Amino acid sequence: MASLTASSLSFSSVSCSFKPNQVSNLRKASLSFSGKGFPSHRMPALRFRVACAAKPETVNKVVEIVKKQLALPEDRDVNGESKFATLGADSLDTVEIVMGLEEEFGISVEEESAQSITTVQEAADMIEKLLEKK
Amino acid sequence: MKLHCFQRAFFHSSPSLIPVQLPAPMETHLWYMKPSEVKSESLLKEYLDILSPCERKNVLQMGGEELRKSALLARALVRTTIARYQINSEITPRSLKFRKNIHGKPEVEWQYSDDWHPPSLHFNISHTSSLVACGVTVNSQIGIDVEEKHRSIKHNVLSFARRYFSEHEVQFLAAISDPQVQRMEFIKLWTLKEAYVKALGKGFSGAPFKTFTIRSKSVPEEGFNKLEGSSLKASEIVVDSFDNPTVLTSNWQFLLLELANSHYAAICTEKHGASEGDRNVPVKLTVWKTIPFLEDECVSGTDAVKTICGL
């Protein structure tokens, strides 16, 4: 997991507080690297879209819950970019997934937010945002 | 009444669809397909062929053959169904264009000309991996939802209901002691709620599930239904909304069916011309089981369509 400090990034108009080794406070819009424009030898392990990505542990937990809800085989590739709809989740599955996330992380998700998440990454980001508010 | 379409051309010109008259006001058409019955690769290719490039891309992106197939059939069903109504001679399954309204609800984008006004045709689709359905009305908003009867719910039904359903609905479900029955009633309620939200067409945030109650209401029947002194009551499904005044929710009527012995189907349509206290004008429903370009079967009145409530 890459840890980014303020000195190695420049961004504009972002108000955030930095906790060491945590990037999840950053506003999504102001920080997105596709990873392709970045020569990999300059920044280690920056392969994925940073965009204040949730911790991998969070993403992995979401993946686990999604796989369980949709009864997907263990070896099926599900990652941050996976869309629920593409994995075969209908609205009832999505709501069940959100319930599973609420139970796992001890959070409470508003109905409107629950229906608006469409990818694993969005779910993970939402979880981290809610965890912070606690 | 089984209609076989033997006109399928050997040359790959446009395969034919048996034309159908548009539904009358207060009439709903329901078309459905079972993916398991579509096995021909060439037929699947024909379906893929009538999709727009964007739809094709979405279909092929689905993860897994079963998902791809039901996604493909959903698009093929809506295109062939609308084309059947022969709105004008220019329309073919492939030529239809779709767009989303401001809330994201799909609708037909009619290609206007100066002297032609399209009919007020409304449609809505729903699909599971084992059934794909399309409902059609004229002049009425429509929302449909289908779910497998035996769909498993991973969570405890009452926990789920407490979290997402209204208090009245929770009480209704909590009063059911048999867990199997409770689960099935839950699924019926879910399809009804989904159908209502889809009919409203405002997206989920337009009507969060907790803000309305769907329930069964007894309706006293007169005339020949009152047999031998017993008050046989029909019941209808009604929606109470906490946010909107009742005058708005009485605009909606519901049908709940068991389809093909395997699915619950809920259909929500707009009522027109009814005011508070008016008797419910019965909705006419015609149901077809179809394999577009291959065969259509009108299954209304057969075992494939069992009314649970509303007709």
Side-chain angles (χ1 to χ4, degrees), chain B residues 19-254:
Chain B
V20 178
Q21 285 235 317
L22 278 170
M26 302 311 292
E27 187 186 0
T28 302
H29 286 178
L30 185 69
W31 299 82
Y32 74 90
M33 292 177 78
K34 297 202 105 168
S36 58
E37 292 174 2
V38 183
K39 293 177 197 150
S40 155
E41 282 298 323
S42 62
L43 190 54
L44 291 172
K45 282 207 185 80
E46 282 183 37
Y47 294 156
L48 202 55
D49 199 46
I50 61 172
L51 265 50
S52 71
C54 183
E55 288 169 343
R56 214 170 289 142
K57 186 171 143 219
N58 287 338
V59 161
L60 296 172
Q61 264 176 7
M62 296 296 287
E65 202 187 303
E66 200 181 82
L67 291 176
R68 275 195 292 273
K69 193 172 177 186
S70 62
L72 169 61
L73 296 183
R75 294 318 302 165
L77 181 63
V78 71
R79 282 178 172 276
T80 54
T81 297
I82 293 174
R84 280 178 203 276
Y85 294 107
Q86 306 230 302
I87 314 285
N88 70 36
S89 53
E90 316 268 295
I91 289 173
T92 67
R94 195 189 284 114
S95 73
L96 282 166
K97 290 206 186 327
F98 295 91
R99 62 168 178 225
K100 293 194 173 158
N101 75 4
I102 49 167
H103 302 292
K105 183 174 183 181
E107 55 187 29
V108 181
E109 190 179 301
W110 300 104
Q111 310 300 293
Y112 282 81
S113 65
D114 285 334
D115 54 357
W116 184 72
H117 297 284
S120 180
L121 182 150
H122 296 265
F123 71 90
N124 197 235
I125 21 177
S126 177
H127 62 108
T128 66
S129 54
S130 47
L131 192 135
V132 175
C134 178
V136 180
T137 50
V138 167
N139 281 333
S140 258
Q141 295 290 338
I142 176 172
I144 74 170
D145 190 53
V146 296
E147 294 292 348
E148 286 174 6
K149 269 168 57 181
H150 298 294
R151 182 190 180 124
S152 65
I153 310 295
K154 305 290 188 296
H155 289 86
N156 173 268
V157 163
L158 284 182
S159 308
F160 192 113
R162 280 189 197 104
R163 183 74 187 76
Y164 287 105
F165 284 7
S166 75
E167 202 180 301
H168 187 281
E169 291 165 341
V170 173
Q171 282 167 18
F172 165 74
L173 291 169
I176 303 169
S177 49
D178 183 318
Q180 268 282 68
V181 176
Q182 194 188 61
R183 189 185 50 81
M184 285 164 89
E185 289 303 314
F186 168 86
I187 293 175
K188 288 178 195 169
L189 200 42
W190 175 274
T191 59
L192 286 163
K193 290 173 83 78
E194 272 283 292
Y196 173 64
V197 171
K198 290 173 82 181
L200 284 177
K202 292 204 187 102
F204 196 77
S205 48
F209 271 23
K210 252 200 200 297
T211 66
F212 64 93
T213 287
I214 291 189
R215 58 187 177 84
S216 185
K217 181 174 131 187
S218 296
V219 175
E221 285 283 317
E222 289 171 7
F224 65 89
N225 278 321
K226 264 224 168 102
L227 300 172
E228 294 159 29
S230 70
S231 54
L232 267 183
K233 285 188 179 144
S235 57
E236 57 167 352
I237 301 166
V238 296
V239 58
D240 302 319
S241 170
F242 309 142
D243 290 345
N244 297 316
T246 46
V247 75
L248 292 179
T249 60
S250 68
N251 287 353
W252 302 98
Q253 58 197 358
F254 296 85

Side-chain angles (χ1 to χ4, degrees), chain A residues 86 90 96 102 109 111 115, chain B residues 61 63 151 155 163 204 209:
Chain A
T86 316
D90 59 17
E96 287 223 83
E102 288 182 326
V109 180
E111 270 190 83
Q115 284 282 332
Chain B
Q61 264 176 7
R151 182 190 180 124
H155 289 86
R163 183 74 187 76
F204 196 77
F209 271 23

Side-chain angles (χ1 to χ4, degrees), chain A residues 101-109 126-127 130-131 134:
Chain A
L101 298 177
E102 288 182 326
E103 284 160 7
E104 177 67 37
F105 292 96
I107 50 177
S108 181
V109 180
M126 177 190 70
I127 290 163
L130 288 168
L131 283 172
K134 284 182 84 182

Side-chain angles (χ1 to χ4, degrees), chain B residues 294-309:
Chain B
L294 194 59
E295 68 183 39
D296 307 317
E297 186 183 345
C298 181
V299 293
S300 300
T302 71
D303 259 1
V305 183
K306 292 186 196 134
T307 308
I308 300 173
C309 200

